[in-house]
Amino acid sequence: MKISAVRGMRDILPEETPLWQHLEAEIRTAFGLYGFRELRTPLVEEAQLFSRGVGEATDVVHKEMYVFQDKKGLPLALRPEATASVVRAYIEHGLYAKGGLAKLYYLGPMFRYEKPQKGRSRQFHQYGVEALGSLDPALDAEVIDLSSYLMERLGLAREGLFLRVNSIGCKGDRVRYREALREHLEPRRDELCPDCQRRLSENPMRILDCKREGCQPAIRTAPRSIDHLCPDCRAHFQEVLSHLDLLGIQYELDHTLVRGLDYYTRTVFELCSRDLGAQDALLGGGRYDDLVELLGGPPTPGVGFAGGMERLVLVLQGQLKKTEKLDVYIVPVGQEREVWRTAAWAASRLRRAGLSADVEYLGRSVRKATQAAAQLARCALFLGPEELAQGQATLKDLSSGKTVPLPLEKLSSPDELHPFFEPEENGDVKGGCGGGQG
Ligand code: HAM
């Protein structure tokens, strides 16, 4: 019986991993430049961390979470997001007691039982940051600036992106805003889809997220959260926007942006791509000033964002073609045991000299092995019995076709070996062009 990967979860194949590695390296560098340090939390947490932290009534927890029991009956969950885990770790390890701001970042797989489609899978990978310990609106802007800087680093054109920003205020503001929304929507109940009719009593702010055509007239005319902010939250939001102006970051005020997780307070934002279709959010985030306290820590404000790696790959795969070639592919010529033994020894020496190398283990003809080498490597190293008798091999630059003898003794000395592999100005491998020592 053939077993496939689980629906919505996929293998990232060796052709794709160079792009992933490139993105991960760029993300780590950008996060590091903004002072964030990596935190790695487990993929499995107690399920109640998310029901309490993210919210029992959210789709992420209520409908999409992978929950199971351990052998003692403890309900566990595959993490659907990382903010709650970061906050748990922050409290558990007393990071607040170290004073100052905790600036933490993460990269890794998350799990949500959603309907798989373009840009949406059941195992997906997030990169994200969380800054805990300051209410300063400049920090909201800094986190948004980081997301924008990251996209610049990755070469994403500004025109292809748009930033949506909103403020949903503090707990008190949201109580008043929900009431205003109910008052507006209740008389329009019949225009709303069945999901939104249910949301009307449970959480009317979620209705603003609905994409169904029939619900749009009621949403378009709905009251705006920024008109229900208390003076502190209003001043905070104005400062965030003024910092964004200062940093030259363009944004759209989007009154329907409320985000799907319950912990948000004040600033919320999404950075979207025009190339992504329905799932257009490259990343999303905001403030969560009550979450640390809600999870049992001291009152501590926080702000952060997370983005989906798969969506980055979708928008970048056309632009970035990264191919990784081996430095050397070793082709033993003939069947002599000594030739094959020398090939294995040469590969080991090359690798210790920091050159990536592989051996033709499939025993193909020299012609076929050379063809394979051209796909896999920059150079081929031919080892035949006559050359071996003279203590040398033939190094071939596979792009120019030039060859040069390589004395085997050089393999024992990285310093003497390296000049053979240094590219010349015209891009050819130096040794292979006869420009090296040989
Ligand atoms: P989120 O909006 O649920 O927020 O997810 C953030 C990003 O993860 C989305 O914008 C999207 O790029 C990606 N994403 C989410 N679900 C999927 C999926 N099923 N398939 C592929 N990509 C997906 C959070 O998770 C918050 N923890 C963000 C945050 C951090 N807020 C404050 N700090």
Side-chain angles (χ1 to χ4, degrees):
M1 191 183 62
K2 198 176 100 204
I3 300 175
S4 309
V6 172
R7 182 166 140 81
M9 308 198 182
R10 69 175 201 93
D11 304 305
I12 301 165
L13 297 172
E15 291 80 54
E16 304 168 87
T17 46
L19 175 55
W20 280 72
Q21 287 166 354
H22 166 73
L23 295 178
E24 285 159 4
E26 290 295 315
I27 288 166
R28 287 177 193 283
T29 305
F31 287 177
L33 285 172
Y34 279 69
F36 288 87
R37 296 189 306 153
E38 187 177 8
L39 170 70
R40 299 188 188 195
T41 61
L43 304 195
V44 174
E45 298 272 3
E46 283 195 39
Q48 60 161 336
L49 172 67
F50 303 108
S51 48
R52 270 167 60 193
V54 175
E56 188 69 72
T58 58
D59 283 357
V60 168
V61 170
H62 178 66
K63 294 190 190 161
E64 298 164 3
M65 204 154 71
Y66 284 87
V67 185
F68 55 97
Q69 292 188 350
D70 72 4
K71 289 193 191 299
K72 288 196 170 152
L74 183 67
L76 301 177
L78 291 182
R79 63 180 185 188
E81 62 107 56
T83 308
S85 303
V86 169
V87 169
R88 185 215 23 86
Y90 175 82
I91 299 168
E92 189 170 334
H93 302 287
L95 298 185
Y96 48 86
K98 299 207 161 72
L101 196 63
K103 293 178 92 174
L104 306 165
Y105 82 78
Y106 48 87
L107 278 172
M110 310 288 156
F111 305 85
R112 295 185 192 175
Y113 193 80
E114 293 192 86
K115 193 164 175 224
Q117 54 182 280
K118 183 181 168 196
R120 179 183 277 174
S121 46
R122 291 182 175 170
Q123 174 175 313
F124 59 100
H125 298 75
Q126 276 188 348
Y127 54 94
V129 297
E130 313 293 348
L132 292 140
S134 169
L135 260 179
D136 194 328
L139 190 58
D140 305 41
E142 183 185 291
V143 161
I144 295 175
D145 183 51
L146 167 54
S147 69
S148 150
Y149 168 64
L150 180 61
M151 299 306 149
E152 274 166 41
R153 258 193 98 93
L154 296 176
L156 277 176
R158 263 186 187 216
E159 312 79 66
L161 302 175
F162 56 101
L163 175 68
R164 306 157 69 207
V165 186
N166 194 17
S167 174
I168 54 171
C170 56
K171 228 186 275 165
D173 298 344
R174 282 207 306 282
V175 172
R176 280 182 288 115
Y177 181 49
R178 267 192 214 113
E179 265 329 294
L181 271 180
R182 261 196 206 107
E183 264 172 44
H184 168 79
L185 293 168
E186 197 59 64
R188 297 170 175 81
R189 176 180 276 275
D190 295 343
E191 297 169 30
L192 300 175
C193 68
D195 267 350
C196 285
Q197 291 185 2
R198 183 178 46 80
R199 289 174 184 138
L200 194 50
S201 44
E202 280 172 16
N203 189 354
M205 278 166 70
R206 279 288 101 71
I207 295 176
L208 301 177
D209 254 350
C210 182
K211 300 283 177 286
R212 294 220 177 85
E213 204 41 57
C215 299
Q216 297 314 306
I219 292 173
R220 265 197 296 273
T221 50
R224 312 180 317 173
S225 59
I226 54 165
D227 296 327
H228 293 77
L229 299 181
C230 63
D232 276 357
C233 288
R234 190 174 315 128
H236 189 274
F237 192 46
Q238 271 159 5
E239 269 303 296
V240 173
L241 299 182
S242 115
H243 273 272
L244 291 180
D245 292 336
L246 173 76
L247 299 171
I249 294 175
Q250 289 170 3
Y251 55 85
E252 299 170 11
L253 283 184
D254 184 339
H255 305 293
T256 66
L257 180 66
V258 288
R259 310 267 303 129
L261 314 170
D262 278 354
Y263 49 62
Y264 288 111
T265 52
R266 295 191 170 176
T267 317
V268 286
F269 64 92
E270 281 182 2
L271 185 64
C272 302
S273 162
R274 297 183 210 285
D275 298 329
L276 275 175
Q279 306 302 322
D280 65 357
L282 276 175
L283 56 88
R287 267 206 170 272
Y288 45 89
D289 293 336
D290 304 327
L291 183 59
V292 179
E293 197 176 4
L294 183 78
L295 292 176
T300 312
V303 59
F305 72 79
M309 288 291 292
E310 282 76 3
R311 294 190 190 175
L312 263 190
V313 168
L314 272 177
V315 292
L316 283 167
Q317 63 193 358
Q319 296 177 31
L320 276 172
K321 279 267 173 287
K322 286 224 133 204
T323 48
E324 261 184 7
K325 282 198 164 181
L326 289 169
D327 292 314
V328 193
Y329 195 76
I330 303 176
V331 183
V333 180
Q335 302 302 320
E336 265 182 42
R337 189 169 141 75
E338 203 45 34
V339 166
W340 287 83
R341 283 166 51 84
T342 308
W345 170 82
S348 169
R349 291 298 104 193
L350 285 161
R351 292 163 184 154
R352 275 172 179 67
L355 294 155
S356 54
D358 230 329
V359 182
E360 165 59 27
Y361 283 122
L362 297 178
R364 290 172 284 200
S365 68
V366 172
R367 190 177 61 83
K368 288 230 164 96
T370 311
Q371 281 168 357
Q375 302 294 317
L376 294 169
R378 292 160 56 216
C379 302
L381 187 67
F382 296 97
L383 275 172
E386 295 95 57
E387 286 166 301
L388 213 61
Q390 296 165 28
Q392 63 183 36
T394 301
L395 181 66
K396 181 174 186 178
D397 180 327
L398 290 164
S399 48
S400 69
K402 291 182 183 163
T403 59
V404 68
L406 176 68
L408 292 178
E409 76 212 25
K410 306 274 185 207
L411 288 166
S412 300
S413 159
D415 287 346
E416 292 186 48
L417 192 56
H418 275 279
F420 284 88
F421 294 91
E422 275 164 17
E424 284 201 329
E425 278 182 5
N426 64 7
D428 292 347
V429 178
K430 209 175 197 170
C433 301
Q437 315 150 34

